[in-house]
Amino acid sequence: MSQYFQVSGRVLWNPSMGVSHLFVRAAESFALHVDLPSGLGPMQADECEINMETFTLFIDALIREYARSNHVILRSLMEGFLATGMALVERGGGEPPTVRSSSEDPSIKALQELSRRHESAMAW
């Protein structure tokens, strides 16, 4: 079984239920961390509608937090979620503003590379 993350009915990602549940729970935790809504709607009939504008701002806030931090554990906890989130933003036709404005930052470059690897492994 799998679940669908979509924008206006267009599927961006179709992970297994276990991966989907973990991603949604991680989003909830990170949303509390940055005090912003995630932009992920409720999972209904195995479908989650993404508000791409809100989701992009949420991912951008996490990228800024990641880039500012020198806490190894915090950054490690954020990396996998951010890489997947960045891939979803890209599949939705967007780009987090911090990625665009800080493209020479080594930590941002590393996230972009990890995001490309995640994107290639993400089922449509």
Side-chain angles (χ1 to χ4, degrees), residues 28-90:
E28 291 168 355
S29 292
F30 285 121
L32 290 171
H33 180 70
V34 294
D35 196 30
L36 288 172
S38 70
L40 298 179
M43 189 64 69
Q44 297 177 331
D46 292 328
E47 296 177 350
C48 175
E49 189 68 25
I50 301 172
N51 177 314
M52 193 49 70
E53 182 178 341
T54 302
F55 186 70
T56 300
L57 292 174
F58 167 62
I59 293 298
D60 192 65
L62 289 172
I63 293 168
R64 287 193 314 271
E65 171 84 9
Y66 177 87
R68 282 192 308 259
S69 178
N70 64 357
H71 195 291
V72 173
I73 305 303
L74 176 63
R75 287 174 63 125
S76 179
L77 289 168
M78 296 177 83
E79 284 172 350
F81 179 80
L82 270 174
T84 304
M86 289 168 66
L88 284 172
V89 169
E90 185 175 314

